[in-house]
Amino acid sequence: MIEPRSAHDRLIKKLQSITNLSRDDAQALRTLPTALKTLEENADVVREGDRPSQCCILVEGFLCRYIMTPRGTRQITSLHLPGDMPDLQSLHLDVMDHSVGVMARSTVAFVPHVAVRDLAARHPAIANALWRDTLVDAAIFREWVVNLGARSAYQRGAHLMCEVFYKARAVGVSARNSCAFPLTQQELGDAMGISTVHVNRTIQKLRGEKLITLSRDRLTILDLKKLAVAGEFNPNYLHLNRRPAHHAEAFNTFH
Amino acid sequence: MIEPRSAHDRLIKKLQSITNLSRDDAQALRTLPTALKTLEENADVVREGDRPSQCCILVEGFLCRYIMTPRGTRQITSLHLPGDMPDLQSLHLDVMDHSVGVMARSTVAFVPHVAVRDLAARHPAIANALWRDTLVDAAIFREWVVNLGARSAYQRGAHLMCEVFYKARAVGVSARNSCAFPLTQQELGDAMGISTVHVNRTIQKLRGEKLITLSRDRLTILDLKKLAVAGEFNPNYLHLNRRPAHHAEAFNTFH
DNA sequence: CGCGACCTTGAAGAACGTCAATGGTCGTGG
DNA sequence: CCACGACCATTGACGTTCTTCAAGGTCGCG
């Protein structure tokens, strides 16, 4: 069972990973009203064309943003971990230009726009932190543009795995050298812009070189340094605060 | 000669293209102190790693954001037209994670961060407009992810040209069916994630099908509808205000 | 046991990259 | 005025990466 405070803890931890929050601001964030909901795999949190009046905080699980092309192919544009608010932008862009989907059974907390707006108006530091969060999002999109535009399939795979691991570690949902990675090869293909078959071959190469292990739902990184080199991964674009975070998924085993 | 007000006019027009500004807000924007500077082709406005204390408004010309890979290849991540503030994000992300380059002789107006911050603090509507602007930016990055990840070279070319034309029209720097397009095929390749040679062949196909004309510095769209279909272009992601804007580059010929 | 979802493999073909050469245009200096 | 060089566009030939199609194979679950 998820206890009611978790959504706030997650959000605070996420924001602290990219900015400095005062104790006051953190306390203020805890006043946000949330409505928890559990969503199954393949469900959508919001869809392109929607005009949401609330946004969501991911508490447990794994989400992605994606866009469908007229041909019916899907491009995943970002991956989201606990603490993320993947539809925060709906606060200012009324019509969704993409969808947010569920990649693994997830718990999300919905927060009314008015509550966020009100809080931001009363706490400029929170408004700034949220703005900063959307800017980091944009930085990640830029890096995905580079990944898709300038790197081979092999490099893309390595890069994407580094990104997920770093993000997981930053919010304390990783183990020492592994993290949740509930993507099918089909979904990986949709994120990397390559076919499923080629994803398979790419992963095999990464495995063969002893850089990673990848089982159904878990990514283990055998050699982070080599993986980063292989994927030309440089974490600067994540704009993480110093202080890597204590691993061990303490958050989960925490009563 | 550029008259001093131009930078503000450009910015206001740009913000009006994506949001509603009150007369007061527009007036407040005019109080921003600006320092004009003309930059030659291939110069950089800011570079990755910089910690700017000011940001810039493009007044005349054409800028791009780009990221260099360790291999020395360049990926262009966005194109910018007059009125844009391509480094607005530096207001909240202190270290630049990418560079902003000049694609054609340009005039930019520099504005100190403190001035923007101060204005935003005193005018919440302006803060929101700027936030919204960065969110539209992010939406454009997402679309580029789709363009690079899910479309063929031919589609990418068509899509990119539609985007530039729509953006130009929205801020009044287009003619009826043409706009400035000062990209070499090399630069187009860096933006589309393909080689120069393949850019050439792609453009020839677009020309052969009578969708566009492309001379040194100018893009003419012969059949916007077909071009949009070819590029799977749907302008929703630009989040433009209704009311397309009066073409004719009135801004330039205006004394 | 059998079905569905996922992973894996091989073979053939399309899309795109690389290499190398040619030609065009434009500004500059003689 | 012309020659020159720099930069850019264009073309052909050939190689690589990635896609597509098709066929198993594995695993969990009803």
Side-chain angles (χ1 to χ4, degrees):
Chain A
M1 273 308 87
I2 309 286
E3 51 144 348
R5 299 253 84 143
S6 272
H8 300 100
D9 291 340
R10 294 292 196 198
L11 175 60
I12 289 166
K13 182 122 189 175
K14 162 65 191 266
L15 292 179
Q16 282 175 336
S17 80
I18 56 164
T19 193
N20 295 317
L21 280 186
S22 73
R23 195 173 291 275
D24 262 14
D25 297 327
Q27 214 43 53
L29 281 168
R30 290 188 190 284
T31 66
L32 280 175
T34 60
L36 286 182
K37 189 167 176 185
T38 296
L39 296 165
E40 298 301 323
E41 213 170 312
N42 295 327
D44 282 325
V45 178
V46 278
R47 292 214 179 81
E48 183 173 343
D50 285 356
R51 296 168 165 274
S53 60
Q54 55 186 7
C55 45
C56 76
I57 303 165
L58 177 56
V59 180
E60 276 302 327
F62 216 98
L63 304 181
C64 72
R65 307 207 227 182
Y66 68 90
I67 291 179
M68 299 300 301
T69 68
R71 271 163 303 144
T73 68
R74 176 173 73 156
Q75 179 65 47
I76 291 175
T77 61
S78 60
L79 300 175
H80 293 281
L81 275 58
D84 282 352
M85 298 181 74
D87 59 349
L88 179 55
Q89 61 147 355
S90 62
L91 208 61
H92 285 98
L93 301 180
D94 19 305
V95 181
M96 289 295 294
D97 55 33
H98 64 279
S99 302
V100 176
V102 179
M103 317 214 69
R105 187 172 222 273
S106 295
T107 304
V108 302
F110 288 102
V111 187
H113 280 169
V114 281
V116 181
R117 254 189 275 270
D118 184 56
L119 193 67
R122 285 183 294 110
H123 298 264
I126 289 178
N128 283 338
L130 294 178
W131 188 352
R132 181 172 159 101
D133 181 50
T134 62
L135 290 171
V136 171
D137 250 28
I140 295 173
F141 289 132
R142 278 193 296 275
E143 189 64 29
W144 279 50
V145 167
V146 176
N147 212 27
L148 292 166
R151 299 198 185 105
S152 67
Y154 175 75
Q155 294 175 306
R156 289 181 208 178
H159 192 281
L160 185 146
M161 289 170 194
C162 284
E163 176 176 308
V164 171
F165 180 66
Y166 267 75
K167 286 174 77 169
R169 198 169 57 176
V171 294
V173 296
S174 74
R176 187 180 56 78
N177 69 341
S178 73
C179 63
F181 198 83
L183 304 201
T184 65
Q185 293 187 1
Q186 167 76 61
E187 290 163 336
L188 261 174
D190 290 346
M192 293 165 57
I194 62 178
S195 67
T196 309
V197 171
H198 205 58
V199 168
N200 186 283
R201 290 174 176 140
T202 300
I203 289 177
Q204 286 183 44
K205 194 169 172 204
L206 288 168
R207 279 203 274 244
E209 293 173 352
K210 306 263 186 264
L211 300 184
I212 60 155
T213 275
L214 194 55
S215 66
R216 182 82 185 73
D217 280 351
R218 194 143 197 104
L219 166 69
T220 302
I221 298 191
L222 302 178
D223 192 330
L224 181 55
K225 199 157 190 174
K226 277 194 198 163
L227 188 65
V229 171
E232 298 184 337
F233 181 81
N234 177 325
N236 289 352
Y237 75 96
L238 295 173
H239 295 272
L240 296 174
N241 256 340
R242 310 271 148 252
R243 183 165 40 75
H246 326 294
H247 40 69
E249 315 211 9
F251 243 83
N252 291 330
T253 53
F254 169 55
H255 53 267
Chain B
M1 275 305 90
I2 308 285
E3 51 144 348
R5 301 253 83 147
S6 273
H8 300 102
D9 291 341
R10 294 292 196 196
L11 175 60
I12 290 166
K13 183 121 189 176
K14 161 64 191 265
L15 292 179
Q16 281 175 338
S17 79
I18 56 164
T19 194
N20 294 317
L21 280 186
S22 72
R23 194 173 293 274
D24 262 14
D25 297 327
Q27 214 43 53
L29 282 168
R30 289 189 191 282
T31 67
L32 279 176
T34 60
L36 286 182
K37 188 167 178 187
T38 296
L39 296 166
E40 298 302 323
E41 210 170 314
N42 295 328
D44 282 325
V45 178
V46 277
R47 291 214 180 82
E48 183 172 343
D50 285 357
R51 296 168 165 273
S53 61
Q54 54 186 9
C55 45
C56 76
I57 302 166
L58 177 56
V59 181
E60 275 305 323
F62 215 99
L63 304 181
C64 72
R65 306 206 228 183
Y66 68 89
I67 292 178
M68 299 302 299
T69 68
R71 270 163 303 142
T73 69
R74 176 173 73 156
Q75 178 65 47
I76 292 176
T77 61
S78 60
L79 301 175
H80 293 280
L81 275 58
D84 282 352
M85 299 182 72
D87 59 350
L88 178 56
Q89 61 146 359
S90 62
L91 208 60
H92 285 98
L93 300 181
D94 19 306
V95 182
M96 289 296 293
D97 55 34
H98 63 278
S99 302
V100 176
V102 179
M103 318 213 70
R105 188 171 222 273
S106 296
T107 305
V108 301
F110 288 102
V111 188
H113 280 168
V114 281
V116 180
R117 254 190 275 270
D118 184 56
L119 193 68
R122 284 183 295 110
H123 298 264
I126 290 179
N128 283 338
L130 294 178
W131 189 353
R132 181 172 158 100
D133 181 51
T134 61
L135 289 171
V136 172
D137 250 27
I140 295 173
F141 289 132
R142 278 193 295 277
E143 189 64 28
W144 279 50
V145 167
V146 177
N147 211 27
L148 292 166
R151 300 198 184 104
S152 68
Y154 175 74
Q155 294 176 305
R156 289 181 208 178
H159 192 281
L160 185 146
M161 289 169 193
C162 285
E163 178 176 307
V164 171
F165 181 66
Y166 267 75
K167 286 173 77 168
R169 198 169 56 176
V171 294
V173 296
S174 74
R176 187 180 55 79
N177 70 341
S178 73
C179 64
F181 197 83
L183 303 201
T184 65
Q185 293 185 2
Q186 168 76 61
E187 290 164 336
L188 261 174
D190 290 346
M192 293 165 59
I194 62 178
S195 67
T196 309
V197 173
H198 205 58
V199 167
N200 187 282
R201 291 177 172 136
T202 300
I203 288 176
Q204 286 182 44
K205 195 170 172 205
L206 288 167
R207 279 203 275 243
E209 292 173 352
K210 306 263 187 263
L211 300 184
I212 60 156
T213 274
L214 193 56
S215 65
R216 183 86 186 71
D217 280 351
R218 194 142 198 103
L219 166 69
T220 302
I221 298 192
L222 303 177
D223 191 330
L224 182 55
K225 200 158 190 174
K226 278 193 197 163
L227 188 65
V229 171
E232 298 184 339
F233 181 81
N234 177 324
N236 289 352
Y237 75 96
L238 294 173
H239 293 273
L240 295 175
N241 256 343
R242 310 274 149 249
R243 183 166 39 73
H246 326 294
H247 39 67
E249 314 210 12
F251 242 83
N252 292 331
T253 53
F254 169 56
H255 47 267

